[in-house]
Amino acid sequence: MNNIGLIISREYLSRVKKKSFIIMTLLAPILFGGFLFIVGWTASKGSDEKNIQVVDESGMFSEVFIDSDDNVFDYTTNSLDDAKAKVLNGDYDGLLYIPKLDVDSPNGVIYYAPNNPSIGMVSGLSRKIEGEIENIKLRRSGLDKEVLESLKADVDINTINLTESGDEKESSSIGATAVGYVAAFLIYMFIFVYGAMCMRGVVEEKTSRIIEVVIASVKPFQLMMGKVIGIASVGLTQFILWILLTITISTVAGAAFMDGRADLNKQQTEQMEAMDIPQGDMQDMPQNDPNIMEKLTGAIESINLPMVVVSFLFYFLTGYLLYGALFAAIGSAVDSDADAQQFMFPVTVPLIFAIVMLSAVLNDPNGSLAFWLSMIPFTSPVIMMMRVPFGVPVWELAVSMVLMIGGFLFTIWLASRIYRIGILMHGTKVNYKTLGKWIMMKN
């Protein structure tokens, strides 16, 4: 055990002291935050403004197309050929041609542009035309649109979880889905990234012949266990630091955003007061929904976060130990990363299958498919983390954890059988038959 501790310490310290580890630990939260900011900013910014010429021969849509931040409309009485020429000359970005229409069979509307327009633009123009045609039909039939709108019903169903003790707790499917997806993908990425790191580390030590010196004083099983656990500790450390840095950056950015928003609201209030806008009118102006944060907080509070955190840490570590041992065994059996590809695919298939099946599990988190996939050790790290936020019986979670422990103990034993021989083999063409012989070979 002392040798394993020394190996874990060596693997851990040699990696956390690297500049690449420090740089990525500090930069990853910043890059991730910047990515989210860019995505949000581009989504809110919208597309570039388009100048669109409208030829309306029907005369029914004179007040339908109104200028917006994205589109500026210019109605013209020019002929269709003249309007097309202006588009080709670059005076306009597009031309919307509306012929004389039969509202019962509206056909023949065409949008001309030098290049293919976006789906969003075409859909937006179609919706406006369709809406006006519907209004014309309503007026012709003598029906009032406001009356029809009042007949529509909008029902939000609240979900409540019942317990055997009689307690009732509000639940949130959206919150559970978001937490489940994030947790499942984090475990998936962690196993792939650090599993591959473990494999490359074994290959490098094997090809450099350093392993032949180390193996003289350390048993192969101890060396493999120390390397797998050491790299797992590196990943866990980096993950915890990412969480702390992300929370810190989010808190600071959120405080700055709220201060900026408060200053903006104050400026708007001062401008309204300077314009002598009555207080009642100010209250009637559009405001951001104050219940958004309450809904978000309620969605998070409806989830059993302590169980989610404990389950995540357990499957985070045991999932890596299960696959990390197999990655280490692959690294010991080959002489280069290229040779490892033929063995990596069968090992990673269950993990990829688990990610593919997340949507099916989401449709029925407590169904038979979800249950059995969360019991199989090779798929349970991903599948169970999708189920836990929805609420999993304690006995199911306990059984899955016991099977998970048994699973990684089995893979460690299996990998050690390959590792003890493969780590000293050089220049040998390894296939599955060879691996089978190494597993069955006596000490």
Side-chain angles (χ1 to χ4, degrees):
M1 291 300 293
N2 185 43
N3 288 336
I4 294 178
L6 292 174
I7 296 170
I8 292 173
S9 177
R10 173 186 172 275
E11 293 292 334
Y12 180 81
L13 295 177
S14 64
R15 282 173 168 79
V16 297
K17 289 181 180 180
K18 288 183 178 180
K19 291 182 179 179
S20 58
F21 175 86
I22 298 173
I23 292 173
M24 283 306 301
T25 301
L26 295 176
L27 282 183
I30 298 175
L31 294 175
F32 181 71
F35 171 77
L36 293 179
F37 172 79
I38 292 173
V39 170
W41 178 75
T42 53
S44 61
K45 184 177 180 295
S47 57
D48 295 335
E49 184 180 83
K50 302 292 184 183
N51 293 319
I52 300 175
Q53 193 176 190
V54 180
V55 176
D56 181 15
E57 295 182 352
S58 67
M60 296 186 296
F61 304 93
S62 58
E63 298 180 358
V64 172
F65 300 100
I66 301 174
D67 295 346
S68 63
D69 294 336
D70 297 329
N71 300 318
V72 175
F73 296 96
D74 184 12
Y75 286 86
T76 180
T77 58
N78 294 334
S79 65
L80 181 59
D81 292 335
D82 292 339
K84 289 180 182 179
K86 289 186 177 182
V87 173
L88 293 175
N89 292 335
D91 298 334
Y92 294 94
D93 297 302
L95 164 63
L96 179 62
Y97 171 67
I98 306 174
K100 294 181 179 180
L101 293 177
D102 179 3
V103 293
D104 295 321
S105 180
N107 296 315
V109 180
I110 303 175
Y111 183 82
Y112 296 95
N115 301 307
N116 291 335
S118 66
I119 296 176
M121 173 184 286
V122 176
S123 299
L125 296 176
S126 297
R127 284 194 300 269
K128 290 183 178 181
I129 295 175
E130 290 170 356
E132 183 60 22
I133 291 176
E134 290 176 0
N135 291 335
I136 293 173
K137 289 183 177 181
L138 288 174
R139 289 193 295 267
R140 188 176 64 181
S141 61
L143 297 176
D144 189 354
K145 184 178 181 180
E146 295 181 358
V147 174
L148 293 178
E149 291 292 335
S150 66
L151 297 177
K152 296 181 180 179
D154 185 11
V155 179
D156 292 328
I157 298 178
N158 296 324
T159 55
I160 301 293
N161 290 339
L162 298 176
T163 61
E164 294 181 357
S165 61
D167 296 333
E168 297 183 1
K169 182 180 179 182
E170 185 176 356
S171 62
S172 172
S173 298
I174 297 176
T177 301
V179 172
Y181 261 118
V182 171
F185 271 100
L186 283 176
I187 290 178
Y188 172 81
M189 294 301 299
F190 175 83
I191 292 174
F192 259 105
V193 171
Y194 290 97
M197 182 186 296
C198 182
M199 184 191 70
R200 285 194 296 269
V202 174
V203 172
E204 289 174 1
E205 290 182 353
K206 180 180 177 180
T207 53
S208 63
R209 301 299 179 100
I210 295 176
I211 198 69
E212 296 179 3
V213 178
V214 178
I215 209 72
S217 56
V218 179
K219 293 181 179 179
F221 177 78
Q222 294 176 332
L223 182 61
M224 186 193 72
M225 282 298 297
K227 183 174 290 293
V228 171
I229 296 175
I231 295 177
S233 302
V234 173
L236 187 60
T237 300
Q238 191 170 53
F239 182 74
I240 293 173
L241 290 174
W242 280 345
I243 292 177
L244 295 176
L245 290 172
T246 301
I247 292 174
T248 302
I249 294 172
S250 300
T251 302
V252 174
F257 174 77
M258 293 303 294
D259 291 341
R261 183 175 174 182
D263 293 339
L264 179 61
N265 291 336
K266 183 178 179 181
Q267 292 177 2
Q268 291 177 346
T269 303
E270 292 175 352
Q271 292 175 358
M272 292 175 183
E273 291 176 350
M275 297 171 63
D276 295 330
I277 298 178
Q279 187 69 23
D281 293 344
M282 292 171 60
Q283 295 176 352
D284 293 337
M285 296 189 69
Q287 301 290 335
N288 291 324
D289 186 3
N291 296 323
I292 293 178
M293 291 304 298
E294 295 181 4
K295 292 178 180 178
L296 180 60
T297 303
I300 296 176
E301 291 178 350
S302 67
I303 301 170
N304 190 345
L305 285 181
M307 179 179 285
V308 171
V309 172
V310 171
S311 301
F312 179 81
L313 292 176
F314 176 83
Y315 288 104
F316 190 84
L317 291 175
T318 56
Y320 167 77
L321 291 175
L322 186 146
Y323 280 96
L326 296 178
F327 277 109
I330 292 173
S332 68
V334 299
D335 293 326
S336 65
D337 290 344
D339 296 334
Q341 298 304 315
Q342 61 172 321
F343 300 111
M344 283 187 64
F345 181 72
V347 171
T348 56
V349 162
L351 201 59
I352 298 172
F353 176 75
I355 286 292
V356 173
M357 296 304 294
L358 282 181
S359 58
V361 172
L362 183 61
N363 290 332
D364 190 4
N366 296 308
S368 299
L369 178 64
F371 172 80
W372 289 111
L373 288 178
S374 63
M375 294 297 148
I376 300 173
F378 289 96
T379 57
S380 61
V382 173
I383 300 299
M384 185 56 86
M385 284 316 305
M386 174 56 80
R387 294 186 61 203
V388 168
F390 288 91
V392 176
V394 176
W395 73 267
E396 289 188 15
L397 189 61
V399 171
S400 176
M401 287 182 171
V402 171
L403 292 175
M404 192 69 202
I405 293 173
F408 83 72
L409 289 177
F410 170 74
T411 58
I412 287 174
W413 172 83
L414 186 69
S416 65
R417 304 287 295 180
I418 299 173
Y419 191 92
R420 65 195 172 100
I421 298 175
I423 199 68
L424 297 175
M425 301 295 289
H426 296 279
T428 304
K429 189 66 175 178
V430 180
N431 51 36
Y432 291 105
K433 184 178 181 180
T434 305
L435 294 180
K437 291 181 179 179
W438 290 354
I439 293 172
M440 302 304 297
M441 190 177 296
K442 295 183 180 180
N443 293 330

